[in-house]
Amino acid sequence: MTWSASMAIVVLSVTAFAFFNASGNLFLGAAAGILLTTAISLHYGGLVQFRDGRLPVRTVIVLSAIWALPLATAFALGFDGLGFWLVNGFSAALVFYCGVGYWRMRSESRASITIIACLHHFLAATFVLCIIVGIQEAPLYLVNGSPQNWAEVLNLVASVIALTGIGGLLITVHQERISRRHQHNALTDALTGLRNRRALFEFYEGEVVPQNTGIIVLDLDEFKVLNDTYGHAVGDMVLRNFAGLLEGLVEPRDMAIRLGGEEFVLILPDRSTMEALALAELVRASAARMVHDANGKQITCTVSAGVSFAEKAGKSLDTLLRKADNALYLSKRNGRNRVTAPDSQAA
């Protein structure tokens, strides 16, 4: 919508330029130039909004006002030629800067945003050509409306091509962004921000887990009692705190998942059995020390864990999860707040 508003102002500017050419009225020339620079200021605001998610209204207003003052002054003094140099100079500078801004964002959608950046730079170059040719051919004051030369014609053609291409590509990139957001939401647990069960099974779509992968299944002890005693809001807080603990303890290559309820899973690629057990013990000990604020009362919540390990290639995700679940059951049966390896009866 911001980009569309900018284009609507460009149309008003072109209309004002047409009336200026027909009448030679300096007021219309000033209005046309100010409308064009305002449109480009709003276009810059759209860049910031696209990048940061917010429209910098104050910045757009300040930019428009700063550009309008010298333009209005030049036309008021009768220096319409100078006014057009200023219009082209301001336009070239900000359009080029917008191109730089998009160039820095091209990792999001490399092909589309790279083309958007190049179109901005191409358009900025044509504004510079208008300045160069205008200085060579036109005096500070014009007689019959706006400048008429090959550079202005090139700028007009470039504007149509660039603005049309930028608009279409921005729509494409925006749709790609929406699609990625939907995919992220589908694979993310809304409460904790961790990946969810669907993300886990999509990641191991073939179900075969690479060799030397550790799996830790974790379950908060007596979580139902905590929920019943302090309420679901406190329970949700404990789940979020525990998820934050996991994110702080795992490495970037690891995967932390909330399977559902109070059950979590850690996937640890390229680990030894001892490393997986050590991390499980670290999580258990850290969770036991974590203090939660339950409406002014300080509470703790322990966690039990079961560990399985893909010592050989070809192990399925279901098999390893089942082994870790069995080990978790032993942790619960043997008193909770402990870590158990597969096929072990010991704490």
Side-chain angles (χ1 to χ4, degrees):
M1 290 181 65
T2 302
W3 185 85
S4 297
S6 172
M7 292 305 99
I9 299 174
V10 169
V11 171
L12 291 176
S13 172
V14 171
T15 303
F17 274 126
F19 281 111
F20 172 62
N21 288 332
S23 66
N25 187 306
L26 293 179
F27 174 80
L28 288 174
I34 291 171
L35 283 170
L36 180 59
T37 56
T38 299
I40 295 175
S41 298
L42 186 57
H43 185 74
Y44 166 76
L47 160 68
V48 176
Q49 184 180 17
F50 183 78
R51 182 189 64 203
D52 302 337
R54 58 173 184 81
L55 177 63
V57 177
R58 181 178 301 178
T59 301
V60 171
I61 292 173
V62 170
L63 275 175
S64 301
I66 290 174
W67 289 16
L69 182 59
L71 290 178
T73 302
F75 279 95
L77 295 175
F79 296 110
D80 47 348
L82 174 61
F84 283 109
W85 299 349
L86 292 174
V87 169
N88 288 322
F90 289 149
S91 300
L94 196 52
V95 169
F96 179 81
Y97 186 78
C98 288
V100 172
Y102 282 110
W103 182 264
R104 291 172 177 169
M105 291 189 293
R106 66 191 186 280
S107 59
E108 179 178 342
S109 297
R110 183 165 294 274
S112 297
I113 294 185
T114 297
I115 296 173
I116 289 173
C118 291
L119 287 173
H120 277 86
H121 293 152
F122 170 60
L123 183 57
T126 65
F127 278 115
V128 173
L129 282 175
C130 288
I131 298 171
I132 296 172
V133 175
I135 292 174
Q136 291 174 345
E137 295 185 355
L140 292 179
Y141 348 89
L142 301 172
V143 179
N144 297 314
S146 58
Q148 303 292 327
N149 54 57
W150 66 269
E152 294 290 340
V153 174
L154 176 63
N155 176 255
L156 179 61
V157 173
S159 297
V160 172
I161 295 173
L163 295 177
T164 302
I166 290 168
L169 289 169
L170 281 176
I171 292 172
T172 299
V173 173
H174 185 61
Q175 292 300 320
E176 290 174 355
R177 179 179 285 184
I178 291 173
S179 177
R180 285 194 298 270
R181 186 181 300 126
H182 286 328
Q183 183 180 25
H184 176 267
N185 291 340
L187 302 177
T188 302
D189 176 60
L191 177 64
T192 63
L194 298 181
R195 301 185 199 185
N196 58 20
R197 176 187 291 270
R198 179 178 177 179
L200 173 62
F201 284 93
E202 281 198 9
F203 188 80
Y204 290 109
E205 191 172 358
E207 291 194 358
V208 175
V209 177
Q211 189 175 358
N212 297 326
T213 298
I215 293 184
I216 305 172
V217 176
L218 303 132
D219 191 90
L220 299 181
D221 295 327
E222 299 185 323
F223 186 75
K224 184 178 184 305
V225 175
L226 184 148
N227 255 342
D228 293 342
T229 303
Y230 299 104
H232 289 285
V234 172
D236 288 347
M237 176 198 64
V238 171
L239 290 172
R240 286 193 295 268
N241 290 347
F242 183 66
L245 172 68
L246 293 180
E247 288 186 305
L249 293 178
V250 299
E251 297 181 7
R253 58 179 170 164
D254 302 331
M255 186 186 301
I257 301 111
R258 182 188 178 200
L259 280 185
E262 64 271 26
E263 191 171 15
F264 296 79
V265 171
L266 296 181
I267 307 295
L268 314 173
D270 300 320
R271 293 289 211 288
S272 67
T273 304
M274 294 304 298
E275 287 175 321
L277 288 169
L279 180 58
E281 178 58 30
L282 177 60
V283 171
R284 184 207 64 77
S286 300
R289 291 192 301 267
M290 181 179 288
V291 178
H292 311 276
D293 182 11
N295 302 320
K297 183 177 180 180
Q298 304 300 301
I299 63 172
T300 59
C301 182
T302 61
V303 63
S304 298
V307 180
S308 64
F309 193 77
E311 296 178 344
K312 298 179 181 180
K315 295 286 186 179
S316 71
L317 178 61
D318 283 338
T319 298
L320 291 170
L321 283 175
R322 186 169 61 251
K323 285 186 175 182
D325 269 329
N326 291 338
L328 172 64
Y329 172 76
L330 292 177
S331 292
K332 294 283 190 181
R333 193 180 70 177
N334 290 333
R336 303 185 180 88
N337 189 26
R338 62 188 62 217
V339 175
T340 304
D343 304 323
S344 172
Q345 300 296 322

